[in-house]
Structures are given as structure tokens and as C-alpha cells.
Amino acid sequence: MPDPQPVEGPVVLVGCGRLGSAILEGWLLTQTVAASDLIILTPSQKPAAEAARAQGARVNPPLEVLAEAKVIVLAVKPALWRDVMTPLLPFLGDQAVILSVMAGVTAPTLAEGIGGWPIVRVMPTTGVSRGGGVASVWSADDRARALGRALFQRMAETVDLADEALMDAATAVAGSGAAYFYAFTEALARAGEAAGLDAGTADVLARATLRSAAESMGDDPLDALIGRIASPGGSTRAGLEAMARDGRLTAMLNDTVAAAVHRNREMGA
Ligand SMILES: NC(=O)c1ccc[n+]([C@@H]2O[C@H](COP(=O)([O-])OP(=O)(O)OC[C@H]3O[C@@H](n4cnc5c(N)ncnc54)[C@H](OP(=O)(O)O)[C@@H]3O)[C@@H](O)[C@H]2O)c1
């Protein structure tokens, strides 16, 4: 795929907390948006916003500049978005697109609060700050979806969702997934300890193995990757068979993702 063009602004980032800062750093690192095209709204000083300001971004300018904004990226807590957006709406032009990265706030809920502007929802991971995140994109509007993709595809593996309802499942897999792998790594280390390793050595081995597995994964099919390590009758194959006995690995992950989907729905209700 050809390298996507930088996104022309102004691009307005509303909220520069954990995710907002990660997005900002990713945009600048991957040159998705020129700093001079960025407008950042933040109630308190943030290192990422100050770094962007030093490169030419505008931080908390008079709200009249929002009239030209191409996209407003809403990165505040779900409980706050109405209070945050209401004072901005009178300044927005017809061309603006609203991009929400908020978990659980649906497009109909957003539309009811903000009116007729096209909406795109994106669920990114904070790995975007290093240009290596994951992002799920959904919009009912083609222009808004294309803009959502363009803003994230240089810094994330970006997938289009066919239905907004899938956002909860995508969040349960990608948004939460790193924590599942960390929990698995912790359990692997403790299992190594149970097998006789000291705790520190088991931690080093489990963490280094996760890193090394991630680095060598590439785009090869997962069963081919497993086959390269687990020869028939070997010790890895014995371990894999124990892990999958009676379908317990599949059942455990089905329960894990279902619980996260359920909680995402509860929080969005
Ligand atoms: N963190 C993640 O990994 C992640 C992943 C996917 C989605 N999300 C979504 O991203 C959103 C933000 O999450 P977060 O973890 O980044 O939360 P956070 O660290 O609390 O950031 C929220 C930011 O919103 C700012 N804010 C509050 N009022 C504002 C206003 N009137 N104008 C502009 N900014 C305002 C806060 O500023 P102050 O610090 O000055 O109070 C704060 O920095 C949430 O809706 C969450 O669902 C987060």
C-alpha cells in the first residue's frame, strides 16, 4: 500500500491525557499531521502538548480558530464529553468531522449531543505514541471513515469495522489484549518458579520470551509459527497439548473476551 499522505489540518485534539498525549506523539513521530496544523485544547499543561507547541502547534488558542477545523479529536473521559463539547460547538464550521476515541460512547449518543456533524469512532492503543499501535475504525460516513483511517494508519495497524456494535469486541481484543499477554507472562513466570526456577530468573525468561515472540511473529500464519517451535512428540507439543486439554484454553479466552465485551457494553449504556 502506498504511504498515506499527511493529513491537512487544522486538526484539533481535545484532551491531552494518557491517550491524547500518545496520539499527539504518534502524529508528530510519523508525520501524520504537521505540528503547524495542530490545535490542542487542554485545561492543564502537558509535556506532549508543550513539545508540540515547541514545533509550532497552537495550544489553547482563541476558540475562533476552530472555524477552519477539519477534524475534532475527542480524547476526554466519557463522563465529561458533553460539558467539554458544548462550548466548542458554536465555533465549528460545516466541514468539521468529530472523531471520538472514547470507549463506550456510541455514535447515536454523540450525535444526539453534538448535532449534525459526521462522526467517526476510533479505538486506538497507546502504542500509537511509538508508531506501533492498533486502531479499529468505524463510521457510517465515508469521508469521516477515510479521515479516521488517515489519522491513524501511519502509527497503528488499522482495521475497519463493518458495524459499530463490533467496537466493543475490538476493544476487548485489541484495547485489553496487551494486559492479557502480560497476565499470561506473569502466570508463565510463576509456573517456571513452580518448576524450580528462582522468581527473578523466571521473570526474565518469561518477559524476554514474550518480547522475542512478538519480534519474530511477522505476518506468518500462527499455526505455521507454532509448528516451527513445536515438533511432533517434542516438549513444546506436550506443553501445548496440556494447555489446550478439554478445550480449556479456548474456553478461558472466550470467557475473557466475553467478560470485557459485557463490561464495555455496561459502561456505554
Ligand atoms: N488510555 C487508554 O489506553 C485508552 C484507550 C482507548 C480509549 N481511551 C479513551 O480515551 C479517553 C481518554 O482516556 P485517557 O486514559 O487519556 O484519560 P485521561 O488521562 O484522564 O485524559 C483525559 C484528559 O481530558 C482532559 N480534559 C478534561 N476536561 C477537558 C476540557 N474541557 N478540554 C480539554 N481537555 C479536557 C484532562 O485534562 P487534565 O489532565 O488537565 O484534567 C485529561 O488530561 C477516554 O474516553 C477513554 O475511554 C483510552
Side-chain angles (χ1 to χ4, degrees):
M1 200 161 67
D3 203 19
Q5 294 296 307
V7 176
E8 284 177 20
V11 172
V12 181
L13 177 66
V14 184
C16 202
R18 231 155 51 85
L19 183 59
S21 291
I23 291 171
L24 186 53
E25 288 165 0
W27 281 341
L28 294 174
L29 178 74
T30 59
Q31 300 180 352
T32 296
V33 188
S36 57
D37 264 345
L38 280 169
I39 296 168
I40 301 157
L41 303 184
T42 172
S44 62
Q45 262 202 1
K46 301 288 182 197
E50 291 312 307
R53 190 207 296 267
Q55 296 178 52
R58 286 171 282 176
V59 180
N60 295 327
L63 292 181
E64 284 71 21
V65 302
L66 300 188
E68 300 301 317
K70 189 169 174 191
V71 54
I72 314 291
V73 178
L74 204 42
V76 298
K77 288 288 189 198
L80 281 185
W81 73 269
R82 285 175 196 273
D83 291 346
V84 172
M85 274 309 280
T86 303
L88 307 184
L89 294 176
F91 295 95
L92 300 187
D94 292 342
Q95 76 291 339
V97 165
I98 310 293
L99 187 157
S100 166
V101 295
M102 296 184 294
V105 184
T106 64
T109 303
L110 283 164
E112 172 234 314
I114 64 173
W117 285 279
I119 291 165
V120 53
R121 288 186 62 197
V122 180
M123 196 48 57
T125 62
T126 50
V128 294
S129 69
R130 304 181 305 279
V134 185
S136 303
V137 177
W138 177 84
S139 178
D141 180 281
D142 287 346
R143 184 172 67 94
R145 186 181 324 108
L147 191 51
R149 281 195 74 92
L151 279 169
F152 283 87
Q153 62 193 357
R154 284 189 177 203
M155 58 184 186
E157 292 251 6
T158 303
V159 296
D160 269 323
L161 299 180
D163 187 326
E164 185 180 10
L166 296 173
M167 200 52 101
D168 290 326
T171 306
V173 173
S176 311
Y180 306 153
F181 286 118
Y182 297 148
F184 184 92
T185 305
E186 169 66 16
L188 180 62
R190 298 293 68 82
E193 214 182 328
L197 296 168
D198 68 73
T201 302
D203 278 346
V204 170
L205 290 175
R207 294 171 72 113
T209 301
L210 178 68
R211 275 192 210 102
S212 160
E215 274 163 19
S216 46
M217 184 165 66
D219 290 324
D220 290 346
L222 293 167
D223 55 356
L225 289 166
I226 292 170
R228 260 175 237 157
I229 306 167
S231 47
S235 63
T236 306
R237 185 62 63 191
L240 287 168
E241 282 168 8
M243 192 160 78
R245 191 175 302 136
D246 302 325
R248 59 188 179 180
L249 177 65
T250 306
M252 180 187 77
L253 283 167
N254 279 343
D255 287 352
T256 302
V257 170
V261 168
H262 182 71
R263 186 71 187 122
N264 280 331
R265 290 196 181 133
E266 275 180 347
M267 290 191 298

